[in-house]
Amino acid sequence: MLSRSCLGLLNLVSVDDYQALARVPRVVTTVAGDVAELDMNAMENSGLDEVVSPVPRERRVVVANQLPIRAFREGKKWRFEWDRDSLVLQLKDGFPSDVEVLYVGSLKAEIEASEQEEVAQLLLERFRCVPTFLPPEVHNKFYHGFCKHYLWPLFHYMLPMSPSQGAHFDRDQWKAYVLANKIFADKVTEVINPDEDYVWVHDYHLMILPTFLRKRFHRVKLGFFLHNTFPSSEIYRTLPVREDILRAFLNCDLVGFHTFDYARHFLSCCSRMLGLDYESKRGYIGLDYYGRTVTIKILPAGIHMGLLESVLSLPQTAKRVKELKKEYEGKVVILGVDDMDLFKGISLKFLALGKLLEVDEGLRGRVVLVQILNAARSRGKDIQDVKSESEAIARDINEKYSQPGYKPIVFVNGPISTQEKAAYYSIAECCVVNAVRDGMNLVPYEYTVCRQGTVALDKALGVEGEDKKSLKQSVIIVSEFIGCSPSLSGAIRVNPWNIDEVAEAMNSAVTMSEAEKHLRHEKHYKYISSHDVAYWARSFDQDLDRACREHYSKRYWGVGFGLGFRIVALDPTFRKLSVDHIASAYRDTHSRLILLDYDGTMMPQASINKTPSVEVISVLNYLCSDPENMVFIVSGRDKDCLSKWFSPCEKLGLSAEHGYFTRWNMNSPWETCGLAIDCEWKMIAEPVMALYTEATDGSFIEHKESAMVWHHQEADPYFGSCQAKELLDHLESVLANESVVVTRGQHIVEVKPQGVSKGKVVEDIISTMRSKGKSPDFLLCIGDDRSDEDMFESIARSVSNPALPTIAKVFACTVGQKPSMAKYYLDDTNEVINLLEGLACPSTPSSSIITSQAL
């Protein structure tokens, strides 16, 4: 028995959806943490064929590489507890109180296969966690291989130029990455209600998971947040699987980044590699991707204020702070807290301290750098090299500047407790975060909150009056290459590679006045306390809800194979046009108007030779030979070109330059659209276009009688797009007093007279036919691009206007499955020709045309 929400999936296209439905567990959640199996015998005996469940609680499925769980082996039993320091656990505070949160991820401990089922049941019942058990070999290649030794260095701007600089792309490791993501997707599939639940996927370990979920559930509400850096396109484009990962991001409804830089790099990659443009709508950045809008979210994560403040209020914390104050009495403590990692800049920090002590003898014996080293998250020779280098530099500086009772650099090897870390934060005058590249880094946030202290800590330390004010001071030295830097406006920003600059920043921090330290601290604390982890999660959750609101107002088609899969969002009335569907209407009518675009409709865009084929000329002549047909080619090309190409079609009507020139047949003269030709504006526009052409390699100007077009399809995608935006603004400014419009299309900027459009052509042709007593009762219009949407819109207005004669049969058709004003579509130019042949030659078998398919 399937729930009503599950049955709603049956209108989707992908076969995978039906397979997924078969795997929906017969489980009803009654109370958070309890799982009850349905008693099937009781159901049968009751005579009921359907079980009525209580209204389900709203639910969030949070997917991360690791569950927020700590595992302990006690004899033959496993013991589990929440990892309170885990960000994916803390973000729960940002959700409404009545929302159930389900976690999907791996455990940090390795569980034997024989124990996995029991452990999974225990975690689901007690913690609402669904563990993914990866085979050891898969996990090793997935995490320690592809994630940590390939993606991590690459996303931190280190190309694998040699074995000592990261690993080369390994196809086996990539396959393990794909398999691991699929295993995660399978676990999500087991527990998700795709019509109701919101899924939030975290970080670079699971970047292709969205593709697997979107393929199975086309309407799944799906968000992704990248906690890592996103590199510039010059780095990212070296990835052999770059498009697979980009398309996976775009299978989400909402994609989040910590900083605008990371989002900008992502958008640049989408532009350069997939040809996608983005736009800002009322403060939200959106990418139009096959009829869906993928929203981009920019907001740095925060910390859990309550957790840190509760640790600070513990008596043990106050005791430890007293001990450390006594230990470092008379010293100025500079604190560093870092993972043992290649990109944390630990050795650069030590070199800067050495430089400081070398330059300022007065600071020797006074300034101490306490470096807390967390354990490395991966393993390998690169980690050993970083550790050896850091220890060697620290040893040299200590040997050079140590005194009795004084050592310049003190190592505190982790892992250490949050309580111990908070104590060190509390006594440090300055915190240095010197990473050469880092996604976010919340150390400065934690340091600021600890320097603020709490009432309980102040009381325990006996801090009152002016002494209390002096505690609420802090100085942060932060690398300009990490994600938290933009949000810390009171920090001293440094280039970590510039040893002298970092040393000078340390000197400034040590000698800074107390008043300035207090002002900087207050500025940071105000931001950090108001932008905590709950604020971050709540903001993301609200934006995800907003991004998913149109899910049920459209129909979806799944296209593409493997990791290239994506969905196309279409209007519910949008369907494929078949010759069977249109043939009867064609036969039953006697005054037919057929309007056809050329490039992209009758001729593929990719064709180098644009001359119409014999097949095209033949089918047009067939249609034109019927006295009940009026056939027009409506194109943006100039009239001389169209006249030459279609000279074999004597009865064919032509409309050139988007309708500025129109000819009813070969023997009739070219007519203008009723506007006086005034080309003086070209004298203004041409020098401006020439300026941008000279500055933009690969661009060129197309001259028409009525218009001018600047093309940039051969230019660098990003630079060409930027130049097009600038040119559009420039031309609109200089041509503000001219009777022209400046428009931007796909890889073009065009200037043309006001009132000229393909939509105006349609109105004029229909009006002329009606004036001659031949009001059309059949209208077929086929086009492929933005300019053709003007025709579709004009037709829609004409049909809906009760003051105008009714056109009985209307078929507005676009080429390709994409959002359109048209009600029908054909896949490509071959299907257009096949459809026209089916109309022109009744004997043509209808099987040559792909039949209509409802969504």
Side-chain angles (χ1 to χ4, degrees):
M1 191 252 338
L2 298 176
S3 69
R4 184 167 52 207
S5 59
C6 290
L7 289 172
L9 292 171
L10 295 176
N11 70 334
L12 301 181
V13 177
S14 175
V15 175
D16 289 328
D17 291 18
Y18 301 107
Q19 295 172 343
L21 286 174
R23 294 193 293 270
V24 174
R26 298 179 107 95
V27 171
V28 174
T29 303
T30 53
V31 181
D34 295 331
V35 177
E37 293 187 50
L38 294 179
D39 186 342
M40 301 307 295
N41 291 327
M43 287 172 55
E44 292 172 1
N45 296 334
S46 69
L48 298 175
D49 60 358
E50 184 168 317
V51 173
V52 179
S53 306
V55 177
R57 293 175 61 188
E58 196 173 338
R59 196 164 66 165
R60 305 291 185 270
V61 181
V62 178
V63 191
N65 178 47
Q66 292 185 338
L67 290 171
I69 294 290
R70 289 195 178 107
F72 305 92
R73 187 75 173 184
E74 296 180 345
K76 295 183 179 180
K77 294 283 187 179
W78 282 101
R79 181 172 66 84
F80 303 97
E81 66 180 28
W82 288 115
D83 181 359
R84 301 293 175 184
D85 295 329
S86 173
L87 185 69
V88 294
L89 177 65
Q90 295 171 358
L91 62 81
K92 182 179 180 180
D93 288 0
F95 298 147
S97 58
D98 59 339
V99 166
E100 178 188 1
V101 181
L102 196 68
Y103 297 97
V104 178
S106 295
L107 287 167
K108 298 175 184 178
E110 188 172 327
I111 309 295
E112 294 291 334
S114 59
E115 300 175 299
Q116 289 177 3
E117 186 175 348
E118 181 182 354
V119 167
Q121 187 67 26
L122 177 69
L123 290 174
L124 180 62
E125 290 178 354
R126 296 187 182 177
F127 298 95
R128 308 306 295 151
C129 289
V130 180
T132 56
F133 300 110
L134 301 180
E137 183 181 357
V138 173
H139 179 266
N140 188 53
K141 290 181 178 179
F142 154 67
Y143 183 75
H144 295 292
F146 195 75
C147 287
K148 299 307 292 186
H149 283 92
Y150 183 71
L151 280 180
W152 180 262
L154 190 71
F155 274 45
H156 287 74
Y157 289 75
M158 191 173 87
L159 292 173
M161 305 298 291
S162 68
S164 63
Q165 294 179 306
H168 289 283
F169 178 81
D170 186 306
R171 184 64 62 175
D172 287 339
Q173 290 181 356
W174 166 246
K175 289 179 180 178
Y177 184 85
V178 174
L179 178 57
N181 276 248
K182 185 179 182 300
I183 291 172
F184 274 79
D186 291 341
K187 286 296 180 182
V188 175
T189 300
E190 289 177 8
V191 297
I192 190 177
N193 179 343
D195 287 345
E196 305 293 339
D197 297 345
Y198 290 80
V199 181
W200 187 356
V201 183
H202 290 264
D203 220 6
Y204 73 108
H205 314 89
L206 304 173
M207 289 190 294
I208 60 170
L209 174 62
T211 293
F212 289 115
L213 291 179
R214 186 65 69 189
K215 187 174 184 180
R216 297 175 187 186
F217 309 113
H218 292 182
R219 289 186 173 90
V220 64
K221 304 178 181 80
L222 184 55
F224 182 94
F225 198 95
L226 184 68
H227 295 272
N228 205 344
T229 60
F230 196 95
S232 65
S233 60
E234 287 74 19
I235 299 294
Y236 181 82
R237 70 201 304 183
T238 64
L239 258 172
V241 290
R242 60 193 188 185
E243 290 191 9
D244 291 337
I245 293 175
L246 281 183
R247 291 193 186 280
F249 273 96
L250 295 171
N251 275 323
C252 298
D253 297 295
L254 178 67
V255 179
F257 299 93
H258 286 304
T259 73
F260 174 71
D261 272 352
Y262 304 159
R264 177 170 56 87
H265 294 157
F266 171 73
L267 294 169
S268 175
C269 288
C270 290
S271 174
R272 289 176 179 275
M273 295 164 212
L274 301 178
L276 301 177
D277 289 327
Y278 68 91
E279 58 181 345
S280 181
K281 298 178 180 177
R282 297 189 176 183
Y284 293 93
I285 299 174
L287 274 165
D288 185 26
Y289 187 61
Y290 290 92
R292 297 169 48 246
T293 298
V294 181
T295 305
I296 306 302
K297 173 80 171 174
I298 303 167
L299 184 66
I303 62 173
H304 196 292
M305 296 288 294
L307 176 64
L308 206 49
E309 288 171 346
S310 65
V311 169
L312 290 170
S313 298
L314 294 173
Q316 300 93 321
T317 305
K319 180 182 178 183
R320 183 57 179 153
V321 171
K322 287 180 180 179
E323 293 172 353
L324 290 174
K325 276 183 171 290
K326 184 176 181 181
E327 181 179 349
Y328 293 101
E329 189 175 1
K331 307 288 192 303
V332 177
V333 177
I334 298 176
L335 183 66
V337 181
D338 301 283
D339 295 340
M340 179 54 72
D341 186 88
L342 184 64
F343 302 101
K344 298 302 183 182
I346 298 170
S347 60
L348 296 175
K349 189 190 306 179
F350 292 170
L351 290 171
L353 180 70
K355 186 70 174 179
L356 175 66
L357 297 178
E358 176 188 337
V359 172
D360 193 337
E361 296 183 8
L363 295 179
R364 298 174 191 175
R366 287 187 56 220
V367 175
V368 178
L369 173 57
V370 177
Q371 178 62 56
I372 297 176
L373 281 175
N374 300 320
R377 300 190 185 187
S378 63
R379 54 178 184 253
K381 184 176 180 298
D382 55 340
I383 300 298
Q384 262 326 114
D385 290 345
V386 171
K387 185 177 180 182
S388 300
E389 180 189 19
S390 301
E391 289 175 347
I393 294 173
R395 185 167 54 251
D396 290 345
I397 293 173
N398 283 340
E399 289 176 356
K400 190 172 182 180
Y401 299 111
S402 287
Q403 301 173 7
Y406 169 72
K407 191 160 62 170
I409 298 176
V410 177
F411 277 108
V412 179
N413 290 309
I416 66 173
S417 66
T418 304
Q419 183 180 317
E420 179 79 359
K421 199 183 299 182
Y424 274 102
Y425 282 140
S426 298
I427 61 122
E429 293 288 330
C430 172
C431 180
V432 181
V433 183
N434 203 49
V436 297
R437 191 75 63 175
D438 208 351
M440 180 59 192
N441 201 313
L442 295 172
V443 166
Y445 288 18
E446 294 172 350
Y447 166 69
T448 301
V449 174
C450 289
R451 288 294 289 176
Q452 179 72 12
T454 63
V455 174
L457 180 62
D458 293 345
K459 185 177 180 180
L461 294 176
V463 178
E464 297 178 358
E466 289 299 314
D467 291 335
K468 186 173 183 178
K469 183 178 179 181
S470 67
L471 182 66
K472 293 175 174 52
Q473 300 170 0
S474 61
V475 182
I476 298 170
I477 299 174
V478 63
S479 165
E480 62 189 61
F481 300 118
I482 65 176
C484 66
S485 177
S487 62
L488 298 171
S489 56
I492 303 174
R493 294 193 181 93
V494 295
N495 173 3
W497 298 101
N498 189 335
I499 305 300
D500 292 338
E501 182 184 359
V502 179
E504 180 59 35
M506 289 180 174
N507 185 58
S508 297
V510 170
T511 59
M512 187 178 294
S513 68
E514 291 190 358
E516 185 176 350
K517 288 180 183 178
H518 180 71
L519 287 173
R520 288 176 182 263
H521 172 83
E522 286 294 312
K523 194 172 191 179
H524 290 156
Y525 185 77
K526 182 178 180 181
Y527 173 83
I528 293 165
S529 60
S530 61
H531 292 73
D532 62 355
V533 67
Y535 174 88
W536 171 72
R538 183 165 53 252
S539 179
F540 189 92
D541 190 56
Q542 290 170 351
D543 282 356
L544 180 57
D545 177 67
R546 184 183 295 107
C548 298
R549 285 178 183 171
E550 295 186 358
H551 273 204
Y552 291 92
S553 63
K554 297 180 180 180
R555 287 186 173 180
Y556 295 93
W557 284 65
V559 298
F561 298 99
L563 296 177
F565 176 85
R566 61 267 189 201
I567 58 171
V568 179
L570 305 172
D571 187 272
T573 61
F574 196 62
R575 57 180 175 143
K576 198 165 194 177
L577 183 60
S578 71
V579 70
D580 293 334
H581 182 68
I582 195 174
S584 59
Y586 183 85
R587 288 192 301 267
D588 296 341
T589 51
H590 304 286
S591 180
R592 311 181 194 100
L593 175 59
I594 301 173
L595 305 170
L596 306 168
D597 174 47
Y598 183 66
D599 291 280
T601 301
M602 306 287 286
M603 175 63 61
Q605 290 281 12
S607 296
I608 297 175
N609 182 8
K610 298 293 187 180
T611 306
S613 65
V614 174
E615 184 182 24
V616 169
I617 296 297
S618 175
V619 73
L620 289 176
N621 276 327
Y622 267 121
L623 291 170
C624 292
S625 65
D626 188 331
E628 296 180 338
N629 290 344
M630 178 61 66
V631 185
F632 266 86
I633 295 291
V634 184
S635 172
R637 290 189 175 271
D638 63 82
K639 59 186 178 67
D640 293 335
C641 180
L642 293 180
S643 295
K644 178 181 177 182
W645 283 352
F646 294 101
S647 57
C649 304
E650 296 184 2
K651 297 181 180 180
L652 179 68
L654 298 176
S655 185
E657 300 188 16
H658 298 300
Y660 190 84
F661 296 103
T662 301
R663 187 181 76 182
W664 287 76
N665 55 57
M666 181 181 288
N667 298 321
S668 65
W670 284 100
E671 303 170 357
T672 64
C673 61
L675 300 173
I677 299 178
D678 180 7
C679 295
E680 290 186 6
W681 59 265
K682 289 187 177 182
M683 298 174 64
I684 303 172
E686 186 170 9
V688 176
M689 285 189 174
L691 180 66
Y692 283 81
T693 303
E694 183 180 350
T696 313
D697 188 36
S699 65
F700 64 93
I701 302 172
E702 178 188 2
H703 295 269
K704 300 179 181 180
E705 286 191 44
S706 67
M708 291 183 67
V709 187
W710 186 76
H711 296 261
H712 63 92
Q713 62 263 35
E714 301 299 327
D716 176 88
Y718 184 75
F719 184 57
S721 179
C722 290
Q723 290 290 79
K725 290 178 183 178
E726 288 294 324
L727 177 58
L728 182 71
D729 291 341
H730 197 158
L731 288 172
E732 285 180 336
S733 175
V734 299
L735 297 173
N737 297 322
E738 303 293 330
S739 298
V740 294
V741 291
V742 186
T743 59
R744 187 178 174 201
Q746 188 171 11
H747 305 306
I748 65 164
V749 175
E750 184 172 17
V751 185
K752 60 183 180 181
Q754 289 179 352
V756 175
S757 73
K758 289 188 177 182
K760 185 68 165 56
V761 175
V762 174
E763 295 173 4
D764 291 345
I765 292 174
I766 293 176
S767 176
T768 301
M769 291 181 67
R770 285 171 174 163
S771 67
K772 295 180 178 180
K774 295 184 178 180
S775 181
D777 53 6
F778 173 97
L779 175 56
L780 171 63
C781 179
I782 309 178
D784 77 299
D785 64 14
R786 294 179 186 176
S787 64
D788 300 313
E789 293 297 318
D790 292 336
M791 289 199 290
F792 303 147
E793 186 175 359
S794 177
I795 290 169
R797 283 200 306 268
S798 179
V799 170
S800 61
N801 190 344
L804 298 175
T806 303
I807 303 176
K809 304 294 181 181
V810 177
F811 301 92
C813 178
T814 189
V815 179
Q817 298 180 38
K818 57 181 182 288
S820 173
M821 289 288 293
K823 298 299 182 184
Y824 299 91
Y825 76 92
L826 292 169
D827 283 327
D828 51 37
T829 55
N830 288 331
E831 289 195 2
V832 173
I833 302 302
N834 288 341
L835 179 76
L836 296 177
E837 286 178 344
L839 297 180
C841 310
S843 60
T844 300
S846 61
S847 59
S848 65
I849 312 293
I850 300 176
T851 56
S852 177
Q853 182 178 357
L855 295 179

